[in-house]
Amino acid sequence: MSDLTGHRSNFPSFSGTTKPSLKSNAHPAMDVSTVSIAQQFASVQLNWVDLEFDETNKALWLYMKSEGRPCFTPELLGELAQSQAVMKRLFETYQPADPCPINFKVVASRIPGVYNLGGDLNLFIQLIREKNREKLHRYAVDCIDVVYRNAVSSNLPIITIGMIQGDALGGGFETALSCDVIIAEKQAKFGLPEVLFNLFPGMGAYSFLSRMVDGRVAEKMLMSGRLYSAEELHEMGIVHEVVEEGQAPFAVQQYITKNSRKHTAHSAIYRAGRTVQPVSYEELIDVVEIWVDAALSLSDQDLKKMERLTKAQDRLGTPSVRKQAF
């Protein structure tokens, strides 16, 4: 598994404190009574990710952003990985003053009508036509690194919540599936459209779904390419709660407030579940190898279908048509 300790911290220096290091396991002394963890997160300057920390509920809210097509570009993946490294370092830095400085992480989107549309199809087309296996594999592994760390909560007692207010397709759906809890608004759509251009979702969908539903049902979802409503997935046991449009932030706050006193028990149950039904990093990497082979085998006709889908999704960069593109 790739190491994130090489990412540089964006934290500015605070008077009387030392910046937490992301380069080693040793943490410099920090007067945690002087600089709050909320101040630390607020000081992070990223282009594609916003981090907000609610000290009252010990909840980190992570919002994905984009310009143009809302997908997992290499830049977004890099900042998500950096955010995970920052979260883990700050969690450890603020111990032992606070045994559990972060209880919840909410993974959300700033983009109206869209959670995330998945893989960077423009990049896929380019690398497939170039037969560039190395870069295609590197991109896939970067996806797996982010999804896997979210799925295991960075090996910390943190409950992850996917707050879905818009379309979650391909890798966007996989990201939601990697969360402990999914709270979705009723207008949100979920899907795995890769089969439409003769590919399959290779960054965790099969692994996560097969542990939530019957294996045949998981296969059907991967092979159909259809969109599912939040209510359908709730009936299947995949989405935990469905709320009216615009109500997801309130519902997530309610969930956190209601379950804060049970955090120790609930986080332990989720960790136990990962022990009973583990999704290993090795499993995800093995599937990635299959995905890369399949991607490099796509025909020109398949790539043209991918291009058409890309153009349709590109329109989502224009706010007025986001809800009409699908």
Side-chain angles (χ1 to χ4, degrees):
M1 183 172 176
S2 63
D3 187 7
L4 290 181
T5 55
H7 284 280
R8 296 180 59 191
S9 171
N10 284 313
F11 297 137
S13 296
F14 286 93
S15 176
T17 67
T18 305
K19 292 185 292 182
S21 171
L22 298 181
K23 296 183 178 180
S24 70
N25 292 325
H27 300 289
M30 173 184 286
D31 183 357
V32 296
S33 65
T34 303
V35 183
S36 72
I37 192 169
Q39 288 175 295
Q40 294 280 19
F41 278 119
S43 71
V44 179
Q45 300 298 315
L46 299 172
N47 294 316
W48 313 117
V49 174
D50 283 341
L51 298 175
E52 298 178 3
F53 188 72
D54 176 3
E55 289 184 294
T56 302
N57 294 309
K58 294 185 177 182
L60 173 63
W61 293 68
L62 182 154
Y63 294 91
M64 296 180 285
K65 303 185 294 183
S66 77
E67 291 182 1
R69 197 172 76 89
C71 67
F72 286 111
T73 62
E75 292 77 17
L76 175 57
L77 288 171
E79 291 195 357
L80 288 171
Q82 185 176 358
S83 299
Q84 291 172 329
V86 168
M87 181 189 72
K88 186 173 179 67
R89 293 301 183 194
L90 282 182
F91 189 100
E92 295 169 350
T93 297
Y94 278 77
Q95 291 178 321
D98 187 341
C100 195
I102 305 171
N103 285 349
F104 301 91
K105 181 177 78 169
V106 182
V107 183
S109 169
R110 290 283 193 211
I111 307 155
V114 180
Y115 184 69
N116 193 282
L117 301 181
D120 189 339
L121 299 187
N122 287 322
L123 180 62
F124 291 176
I125 293 167
Q126 174 190 337
L127 297 179
I128 292 168
R129 285 186 167 148
E130 293 174 355
K131 301 296 182 184
N132 194 328
R133 181 185 181 87
E134 181 180 353
K135 288 188 177 180
L136 195 62
H137 186 271
R138 181 68 262 166
Y139 174 91
V141 171
D142 287 346
C143 291
I144 290 302
D145 284 349
V146 169
V147 170
Y148 178 76
R149 286 190 184 92
N150 196 61
V152 300
S153 298
S154 297
N155 293 316
L156 299 172
I158 295 174
I159 295 174
T160 56
I161 304 170
M163 186 177 79
I164 319 299
Q165 296 181 276
D167 294 341
L169 307 181
F173 192 6
E174 288 170 317
T175 299
L177 292 171
S178 71
C179 295
D180 296 318
V181 177
I182 301 175
I183 295 177
E185 293 182 356
K186 65 185 300 183
Q187 81 281 358
K189 296 292 186 294
F190 300 77
L192 301 165
E194 289 84 350
V195 71
L196 300 178
F197 45 82
N198 205 21
L199 199 55
F200 77 102
M203 286 71 165
Y206 207 154
S207 296
F208 296 130
L209 283 173
S210 65
R211 287 161 173 81
M212 297 177 178
V213 296
D214 179 83
R216 294 294 184 187
V217 174
E219 285 183 0
K220 182 178 179 180
M221 294 179 70
L222 269 67
M223 291 179 177
S224 70
R226 61 163 289 207
L227 295 180
Y228 291 83
S229 69
E231 291 175 337
E232 284 180 285
L233 295 189
H234 181 257
E235 292 175 0
M236 296 169 66
I238 295 172
V239 168
H240 295 73
E241 184 178 353
V242 179
V243 298
E244 295 295 323
E245 184 170 0
Q247 294 301 303
F250 177 72
V252 171
Q253 286 282 16
Q254 271 195 324
Y255 175 90
I256 291 173
T257 301
K258 178 181 178 181
N259 293 286
S260 286
R261 292 186 178 180
K262 304 172 186 176
H263 171 266
T264 299
H266 286 191
S267 64
I269 290 169
Y270 288 126
R271 295 174 77 182
R274 293 193 285 269
T275 300
V276 174
Q277 291 186 303
V279 174
S280 71
Y281 185 75
E282 292 72 23
E283 175 183 319
L284 296 176
I285 287 295
D286 287 345
V287 174
V288 158
E289 297 291 345
I290 298 170
W291 180 86
V292 172
D293 288 340
L296 291 173
S297 299
L298 293 180
S299 68
D300 188 61
Q301 184 178 4
D302 295 327
L303 294 180
K304 288 179 180 178
K305 291 178 181 178
M306 194 185 296
E307 285 179 332
R308 286 196 291 271
L309 180 58
T310 302
K311 290 177 181 178
Q313 293 183 346
D314 281 340
R315 294 173 55 224
L316 295 182
T318 305
S320 63
V321 297
R322 277 176 178 147
K323 291 187 177 181
Q324 285 77 36
F326 289 93

